[in-house]
Amino acid sequence: MPDNDRTFLDKLKITRGSIDGVKFIYGYLRPYRWSFLISLVALLFSSLSGLAFPWLTGKMVDAATSAARGEMGGLNQLALILMAALVVQAILSYIRTYFLSSASEHLLADIRYDIYSKIIRLPMSFHNRTRVGELTSRLTSDIGQLQMVMTTTASELLRQSVTLVGCIILVAYTSPRLTSLILIVVPLIVVMALVFGRMVRKKSRQVQDLYAGLNTIAEETLQGINVVKGYTAEKRESERYRKNLRDIISIALTLARVRGAFVAFIFFVLLSSITGVIWYGGHLVQDGSLTLGALTSFVLYAIFVGGAMGSFADLYGSLQSGLGASERVRELLLEPNESAIEEVSGLRLRGDVAMEDIRFAYASRPDAEVLKGLTFDVPAGSSIALVGPSGAGKSTIAGILMRFYEPTSGRLIVDGRDATEYSLIDFRSAIAIVPQDVLLFGGTIEENIAYGAPDASHESVCQAAAIANAADFIESFPDGYQTVVGERGVQLSGGQRQRIAIARAVIKDPSILILDEATSSLDSESESLVQEALDRVMKNRTTFIIAHRLSTIRNADRVAVISNGAINEYGTYEDLIARGGMFARLVALQNRTGMDVIDDAAIPSGFPADDPDPGRES
């Protein structure tokens, strides 16, 4: 862009982001451009018909003060013409409102859908560094700003612009001498509007960012309400919420002071100008240079001009806020997706898995390697247990197996091919995970089980529940499979949620199964039922068992002891016990102390624990 153009745009505070924001909105508007154009045409003619009101009013005043009939007839005829003009304006306003709403609602629905679809397609690295409240704010507050711009601000800005230009032309035609009084204040108001718009845009973006933080606090608190209540932190969380509210109020009041000062200035200047017009016009009427009707028309046009110019302050501020929101939405939509997710090709994986010299570090801590040259093979249909202290890298291995993360170096080989050669949807369709902390959606039990296979029949859901030892407790509920589990499954016990998660994995019929400490938080009775179900599900599937409870991995074909991101020991359960190494000492320690899980504090000397895994949420 040429320097002189850039300087001009800088003076108007039109940034490259603003221009890109307009292009962004226009891109979504194109499919609905005909509805938008119809609304613009209706707006134009509605505004022009509105300009006839002051002129006809002046003619009616002249007709009322003179016995002679004017060129448009007497008072009655003028009143009928004026009423006809108002009816036409009302019809055009309806057309404008309907077609503009049609275009804008479709446009906003497309943007909202694209944002939501984008968010759930972004890689785990993005979700690890971005808070949920910030993302929901993009879907709510920012879309709300865009909605205000599309449905109200843009049309009002165009309508007031037509009114302003039309009224200035008509007042100049009515009385050039009186027009000079109005035009004197126009440049001053324009300059003030630009300064005001710059401040509004800056402050509005700050308010939107603070509201995103406020949404985050509410989201986190409500999701962890049991922790909040357990630690009697209600007052603390309320104060944290209030602090953010105070910050928002502080900026909002600053914005209100600026807005109030500007509006007061605008009204003072405009009303002073109109007072001057009436004073000077009165003298022109007295000396016969102007009729009373013409003065009435001029004053009404002057009021229209004042109203249009006065509204520009708020409209310009709202427009700047909307452009700021569009910039934030654009930034989100421009985030790079995961590897391309393609349609299912019907490929069925056998489940041979090999890791070759896998190294990995999280983007938030590139200098701290979590996995350091990991290498092992798991033949199809066999099982491997991954044990070790917290932070050793076990859950990171699961994340790489699911391709939530790509290795920094090394290769993940599945069925003899690099995992990156498969489309993500094909690859992940062959894998199921049963986590320690099960997340159920707030629908029915059947919907949660069928989440693993959306097209599954009711019979398939029942069969999966039976395999997962869940059928008995489900059928004991009055509503059976139609029982609503509540948000995050709060209506069910831990063991019940775990068995529904197993059924969800079963119905997917995966080639590779990941059990991420699936029994570590259960009581003995629930663990027995869950373990029995897991043993049934693991048959003929490649299974990765991440466990702290060493008693649950006796039947694993291989055991890999992970320490500090590398394999410390590898072999069968019996071989490692016979070897008398670290794994044997851990098992002996658990048997002697009655401990049921590996605890970092209980790890024998020479078996180091490293930093907590930054990718693990639990």
Side-chain angles (χ1 to χ4, degrees), residues 45-60:
F45 284 102
S46 172
S47 301
L48 292 176
S49 64
L51 295 177
F53 177 78
W55 182 70
L56 289 171
T57 301
K59 292 296 183 182
M60 289 179 66

Side-chain angles (χ1 to χ4, degrees), residues 154-436:
S155 62
E156 274 299 299
L157 192 61
L158 290 171
R159 189 174 71 84
Q160 296 293 1
S161 297
V162 172
T163 299
L164 178 64
V165 173
C167 285
I168 288 176
I169 293 173
L170 290 171
V171 295
Y173 172 78
T174 304
S175 175
R177 285 188 288 180
L178 287 176
T179 303
S180 60
L181 292 177
I182 296 177
L183 295 181
I184 288 173
V185 301
V186 171
L188 179 62
I189 293 176
V190 170
V191 171
M192 290 296 295
L194 292 175
V195 174
F196 167 77
R198 176 188 179 187
M199 296 184 67
V200 165
R201 182 175 184 180
K202 179 180 178 182
K203 296 297 181 183
S204 295
R205 177 147 193 166
Q206 290 177 359
V207 168
Q208 288 298 107
D209 290 340
L210 285 172
Y211 269 118
L214 198 68
N215 288 341
T216 297
I217 293 173
E219 191 98 24
E220 290 177 342
T221 303
L222 295 176
Q223 285 180 349
I225 190 65
N226 57 332
V227 177
V228 173
K229 289 186 175 296
Y231 284 88
T232 61
E234 292 92 341
K235 183 177 179 180
R236 195 187 324 155
E237 291 298 334
S238 295
E239 287 301 318
R240 187 159 71 112
Y241 194 83
R242 177 184 287 178
K243 181 182 180 300
N244 268 44
L245 283 175
R246 285 171 177 162
D247 292 339
I248 291 172
I249 290 172
S250 176
I251 296 176
L253 289 179
T254 300
L255 194 57
R257 284 193 292 269
V258 174
R259 190 189 301 270
F262 181 72
V263 170
F265 169 78
I266 292 294
F267 274 101
F268 174 77
V269 170
L270 291 178
L271 292 177
S272 297
S273 301
I274 291 172
T275 301
V277 164
I278 295 174
W279 170 79
Y280 185 48
H283 283 290
L284 294 178
V285 170
Q286 287 178 344
D287 64 20
S289 302
L290 198 67
T291 67
L292 182 59
L295 176 61
T296 302
S297 297
F298 191 94
V299 171
L300 289 174
Y301 281 129
I303 292 173
F304 279 23
V305 170
M309 297 187 69
S311 67
F312 280 149
D314 281 340
L315 293 174
Y316 186 69
S318 296
L319 183 64
Q320 292 291 341
S321 298
L323 288 175
S326 73
E327 287 180 40
R328 287 188 294 275
V329 170
R330 268 187 75 253
E331 289 169 2
L332 180 59
L333 291 175
L334 289 175
E335 285 282 342
N337 275 349
E338 280 187 301
S339 303
I341 297 180
E342 304 163 9
E343 293 298 323
V344 179
S345 66
L347 179 66
R348 177 75 181 179
L349 299 182
R350 295 190 310 278
D352 286 306
V353 178
M355 286 194 170
E356 295 183 355
D357 195 25
I358 294 286
R359 293 182 176 272
F360 177 77
Y362 287 93
S364 58
R365 296 174 58 189
D367 56 335
E369 271 195 332
V370 181
L371 301 180
K372 305 172 182 178
L374 210 65
T375 299
F376 61 82
D377 294 298
V378 185
S382 64
S383 60
I384 182 172
L386 306 175
V387 303
S390 298
K394 304 183 299 299
S395 292
T396 302
I397 294 172
I400 288 178
L401 286 170
M402 292 290 296
R403 287 186 63 193
F404 291 157
Y405 313 103
E406 297 295 341
T408 307
S409 65
R411 295 197 308 162
L412 171 63
I413 307 297
V414 179
D415 290 352
R417 294 169 57 187
D418 194 304
T420 57
E421 296 180 17
Y422 300 100
S423 72
L424 275 179
I425 195 166
D426 268 340
F427 188 80
R428 289 179 183 162
S429 294
I431 303 177
I433 184 168
V434 180
Q436 175 185 4

